[in-house]
């Protein structure tokens, strides 16, 4: 672990990796590599809490790996691996299930959203999803977790679970992990509705910019993004959510504050601003897109990176899991 601590974060390989995943999470990780020991996971066990096609899951696992590397994560420095390849995640999640009250899980807004009205039909895996997330983080005693804003509640629960374990067994074993939620775009909204989060599962492809979109698709989606009827631009997220979202995306790409971008472009109408934004987005995303394609053409290379990452991850997690099992009282015959 370096002086500043150990980072863990992950993305689900459920297809449609989008601009929210990039600006809210992956891009922020790139700058953390120099100062922290970093572990970046492709959380395939989380993905199956919603049924997945097996071949599509394998392909999406490679695609997320390619996106990490194309975005600038260095696999020779950071650990990149898929969750199911390291058994400590599942084993620790079980132990945590046994210190986590159902009431805590009942409060999770993401479960309520995903389960919808038919809660009885929701899979048990979806309900205990945040427990597995706590296990992901704590299997490495990670100190910091960089994510988008939508994961905040899950990270608070991970702290509660660490505390519950420590209390139950009278130890100070698991750390209380700090969320790192930063940048101009911690919550990128749908391009079709500024009050809805940009999401992999939105049925409208026009609602999101996928990391696999080419320059034409990116430009077109931005030019057709929903706007409002006011003249000029201003950054007022409550009153003008669509304008605020486009300004935040621009600001994330240009490393500015959204309000400053709004001031600079205040005289422009939506059409002219969207054209500026489209150019900037294409300039930033095209190299990533090209590198992802190059990497995806060599799946054996991706698999080798994941294999090596899993070995390195296991070397950290296995002793932590072994100690946890001792604390719980599992006999090592
Ligand atoms: P997932 O796969 O839904 O999203 C991956 C990352 O992208 C961020 N994100 C967004 N950020 C800004 N705007 C958006 N519209 C947007 N949509 C997604 C998410 O906040 C996340 O950082 N449960 C997690 C994966 C996970 C994990 C973990 C994360 C499993 N174990 C341990 C951290 C630590 C998830 O479903 O992310």
């Amino acid at each position: 672990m370096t002086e500043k601590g150990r980072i863990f974060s992950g993305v689900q390989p459920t297809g449609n990796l989008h601009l929210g995943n990039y600006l809210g999470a992956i891009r922020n990780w790139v700058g953390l590599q120099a100062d922290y020991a970093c572990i970046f996971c492709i959380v395939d066990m989380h993905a199956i809490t919603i049924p997945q096609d097996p071949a599509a899951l394998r392909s999406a696992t490679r695609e997320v790996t390619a996106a990490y590397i194309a975005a600038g994560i260095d696999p020779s420095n950071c650990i990149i691996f898929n969750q199911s390849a390291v058994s400590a995640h599942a084993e620790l999640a079980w132990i945590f299930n046994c210190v986590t009250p159902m009431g805590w899980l009942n409060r999770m807004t993401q479960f309520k959203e995903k389960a919808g009205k038919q809660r009885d039909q929701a899979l048990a895996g979806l309900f205990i999803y945040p427990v597995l997330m706590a296990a992901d983080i704590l299997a490495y005693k990670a100190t910091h977790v960089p994510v988008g804003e939508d994961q905040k509640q899950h990270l608070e629960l991970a702290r509660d679970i660490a505390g519950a374990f420590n209390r139950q067994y009278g130890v100070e074993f698991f750390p209380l992990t700090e969320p790192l939620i930063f940048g101009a775009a911690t919550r990128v909204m749908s391009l079709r509705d500024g009050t809805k989060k940009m999401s992999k599962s939105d049925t409208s492809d026009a609602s999101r910019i996928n990391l696999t979109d080419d320059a034409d698709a990116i430009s077109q989606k931005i030019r057709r993004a929903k706007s409002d009827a006011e003249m000029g631009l201003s950054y007022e997220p409550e009153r003008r959510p669509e304008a605020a979202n486009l300004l935040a995306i621009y600001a994330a790409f240009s490393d500015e504050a959204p309000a400053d971008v709004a001031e600079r472009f205040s005289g422009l109408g939506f059409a002219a601003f969207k054209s500026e934004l489209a150019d900037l987005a294409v300039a930033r995303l095209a190299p990533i897109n090209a590198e992802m394609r190059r990497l995806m053409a060599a799946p054996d290379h991706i698999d080798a990176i994941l294999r090596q990452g899993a070995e390195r991850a296991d070397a950290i997690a296995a002793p932590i899991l072994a100690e946890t099992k001792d604390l719980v009282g599992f006999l090592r015959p």
Side-chain angles (χ1 to χ4, degrees), residues 12 20-21 129 133 136 147-148 150-151 186 188 197-198 200:
Q12 294 192 64
N21 302 130
Y129 174 120
M133 202 166 143
D136 296 341
V147 285
D150 62 344
Q151 296 302 317
T186 55
V188 178
K197 191 178 70 170
M198 184 177 285
K200 290 170 186 160

Side-chain angles (χ1 to χ4, degrees), residues 8-14 17-26 29 41 43 46 68 83 89 110 114 129 132-134 136-137 145-152 154-155 185-190 196-200:
F8 183 97
S9 200
V11 172
Q12 294 192 64
T14 42
L17 204 57
H18 57 72
L19 189 64
N21 302 130
Y22 177 63
L23 293 179
I26 302 170
W29 304 350
C41 189
V43 288
H46 277 107
Y68 287 2
Q83 189 184 29
H89 294 250
Q110 214 162 76
K114 286 193 184 172
Y129 174 120
L132 178 59
M133 202 166 143
D136 296 341
I137 297 162
V145 182
V147 285
E149 203 187 85
D150 62 344
Q151 296 302 317
K152 196 166 169 227
H154 287 158
L155 294 189
T186 55
R187 190 173 176 83
V188 178
M189 308 307 277
S190 156
K196 251 173 62 185
K197 191 178 70 170
M198 184 177 285
S199 137
K200 290 170 186 160

Side-chain angles (χ1 to χ4, degrees), residues 245-256:
N245 189 36
L246 296 177
L247 287 163
I249 294 171
Y250 190 104
F253 278 127
S254 67
D255 274 322
E256 290 172 274

Side-chain angles (χ1 to χ4, degrees), residues 91-92 94-96 98 165 169 321-333:
E91 292 189 59
L92 192 58
W94 181 256
I95 293 171
F96 286 165
C98 301
F165 180 93
Y169 294 102
L321 176 67
E323 230 183 304
T324 311
K325 287 171 148 180
D326 286 343
L327 289 170
V328 169
F330 288 160
L331 182 70
R332 286 207 233 184

